[in-house]
Amino acid sequence: MVRQEIDVLKQETYPILFLDEAQAIKNNATKISKAIRSLKAGKRFALSGTPIENSLDELWSLFHVLMPGLFPAKKDFKKLAPEKIARIVRPFILRRVKQDVLTELPDRVDSLQYSELTDDQKKVYLAYLSKIQEETAAQLKTEGFQQSRMKILAGLTRLRQICCHPGLFLDNYEGESGKLLQLLDLIETGLANNHRLLIFSQFSSMLKVMAEKLTEAGYDFFYLDGQTKSQARVEMAERFNEGEKPIFLISLKAGGTGLNLTGADTVILYDLWWNPAVEEQAAGRAHRMGQKEVVHVHRLIAEGTIEEKIYQLQEKKRELIDTVIQPGETTSQSLSEEDIKLLLNLT
């Protein structure tokens, strides 16, 4: 709305400007960011649960709106140590975690659930890993990191899909998936103990595989992905919270924000996202105001695979952002060449 009505809005001078969900202006080159910067206001406040989602550059963009001139030009900002950035912004950031403001909120228990690849799955994984290692090493040598970045990411996505289920891109795969078998065990145990489950995956094709397995097993469930209409999402959320069905399959990106699903007490993150802030938002669908039960969050990781390396990267990035904001913030930077080499065991 601001972007569309900016010619009118920028003629006024406002006493105070509040920017809710301020991460919407994290990229200073977008039209919405430029529009917000053209507004005149005496005081400016930004509200966000994830002030940094991908890189420290986003913090620069926020303060470029809030307090122009606090930081040097973006090029020079990139050279600053995280500790120096932390000292600069500390007087201007007020942070409150859920435990501070929602004292009645039940506990949240996080756990890592490791699964083994099946023999068939392992053969596929190792074959593709060897192929991608060779291709990546060659591309980095001949084309350089920036030129080959998209090809490398596509290869990494293939490996992640194999961890979920090789059938996501191999039409002739007839074997099992260790992680899917583990998920079905978790579901069976959870339902037997009267738990209600949210199951997230970033791959809608994986959600469809899950749906097929759940139907075969006779389980009732709701299903939401990027194709689900807005009104249908709201209706399904209400019906789930009222107890109509015990399982909700949800696309991580499509349903990770904007839904209140306190009818669930168990969250299963089937596959890891590069940016753990997205995972946190997904877990927050259940662990929020109105929740009466302890919430269990399970992250599923295929042992001995790229998923273990992704989790290590997440932890490394968390530490960087913790230095700048305060302990507890969750985020991830864009993958660097060193990150790629770590993920693929390239020296």
Side-chain angles (χ1 to χ4, degrees):
M1 191 182 294
V2 170
R3 191 172 64 241
Q4 292 169 350
E5 305 293 338
I6 190 59
D7 289 340
V8 175
L9 294 174
K10 69 181 182 182
Q11 294 176 27
E12 300 289 333
T13 298
Y14 304 95
I16 305 176
L17 174 66
F18 286 100
L19 299 172
D20 195 15
E21 301 295 350
Q23 67 273 11
I25 60 167
K26 63 185 180 182
N27 183 343
N28 70 298
T30 59
K31 289 181 180 178
I32 182 61
S33 186
K34 290 175 181 176
I36 293 293
R37 288 204 301 274
S38 71
L39 295 175
K40 297 186 286 289
K43 295 176 181 173
R44 298 160 185 255
F45 294 87
L47 313 178
S48 176
T50 50
I52 306 171
E53 287 187 325
N54 293 300
S55 77
L56 295 181
D57 290 354
E58 294 168 3
L59 196 65
W60 184 90
S61 297
L62 278 175
F63 275 94
H64 194 47
V65 170
L66 295 172
M67 304 178 69
L70 178 68
F71 285 126
K74 199 170 184 179
K75 182 179 176 183
D76 296 321
F77 173 81
K78 289 175 179 287
K79 300 174 185 175
L80 296 179
E83 294 78 11
K84 176 86 178 279
I85 296 171
R87 288 199 300 273
I88 294 172
V89 301
R90 192 161 288 138
F92 309 109
I93 293 180
L94 175 65
R95 180 170 181 267
R96 290 291 180 264
V97 295
K98 285 181 182 177
Q99 291 84 345
D100 294 334
V101 293
L102 298 178
T103 52
E104 76 285 3
L105 194 66
D107 288 341
R108 169 179 151 180
V109 180
D110 286 66
S111 66
L112 298 178
Q113 302 283 341
Y114 288 91
S115 64
E116 285 188 38
L117 300 179
T118 64
D119 289 342
D120 289 339
Q121 193 177 11
K122 192 175 291 183
K123 288 175 186 173
V124 175
Y125 183 85
L126 291 175
Y128 267 84
L129 176 61
S130 177
K131 178 172 181 282
I132 290 166
Q133 283 174 328
E134 289 178 14
E135 289 177 352
T136 300
Q139 287 164 355
L140 289 175
K141 192 173 182 179
T142 58
E143 300 175 33
F145 177 60
Q146 290 302 330
Q147 292 298 318
S148 54
R149 184 184 181 87
M150 295 311 295
K151 293 178 190 172
I152 294 170
L153 288 176
L156 295 178
T157 299
R158 287 287 185 236
L159 290 176
R160 292 160 70 205
Q161 287 177 323
I162 293 169
C163 293
C164 292
H165 195 300
L168 296 191
F169 73 99
L170 288 179
D171 293 334
N172 60 347
Y173 183 78
E174 296 180 356
E176 296 282 3
S177 159
K179 189 188 280 195
L180 183 58
L181 293 173
Q182 181 194 31
L183 174 69
L184 294 173
D185 283 343
L186 279 173
I187 292 171
E188 184 179 357
T189 303
L191 296 183
N193 289 283
N194 296 316
H195 292 299
R196 308 190 71 243
L197 295 77
L198 305 181
I199 303 171
F200 288 92
S201 174
Q202 64 195 282
F203 302 112
S204 57
S205 52
M206 188 64 229
L207 290 176
K208 289 182 170 65
V209 173
M210 291 179 195
E212 188 178 316
K213 291 291 185 182
L214 293 181
T215 301
E216 288 175 7
Y219 295 131
D220 270 346
F221 59 90
F222 289 109
Y223 179 100
L224 184 160
D225 64 16
Q227 304 303 311
T228 308
K229 299 276 193 283
S230 297
Q231 186 58 36
R233 295 180 190 206
V234 175
E235 290 173 2
M236 281 194 288
E238 291 173 353
R239 289 163 61 194
F240 177 81
N241 287 335
E242 288 166 3
E244 184 177 325
K245 298 177 183 179
I247 302 171
F248 208 144
L249 301 180
I250 307 176
S251 163
L252 187 61
K253 291 295 279 183
T257 57
L259 289 176
N260 183 342
L261 295 168
T262 51
D265 61 4
T266 302
V267 178
I268 299 175
L269 300 167
Y270 188 80
D271 39 77
L272 300 181
W273 187 257
W274 297 115
N275 183 347
V278 176
E279 294 178 4
E280 286 299 310
Q281 289 167 345
R285 299 314 91 215
H287 194 241
R288 63 194 297 112
M289 193 162 20
Q291 178 57 260
K292 305 299 183 191
E293 307 293 334
V294 172
V295 174
H296 292 266
V297 179
H298 303 289
R299 284 177 172 81
L300 306 193
I301 296 178
E303 198 169 8
T305 72
I306 188 176
E307 290 191 328
E308 286 191 324
K309 300 290 181 68
I310 292 173
Y311 185 71
Q312 290 172 19
L313 275 181
Q314 286 183 344
E315 292 303 295
K316 188 174 77 172
K317 306 300 185 183
R318 276 191 179 98
E319 290 171 9
L320 172 65
I321 304 307
D322 286 349
T323 302
V324 175
I325 303 296
Q326 283 179 34
E329 288 297 342
T330 51
T331 188
S332 158
Q333 284 192 303
S334 301
L335 290 174
S336 66
E337 184 172 350
E338 289 71 28
D339 294 335
I340 296 290
K341 288 179 177 177
L342 168 71
L343 289 166
L344 293 175
N345 293 323
L346 298 174
T347 55

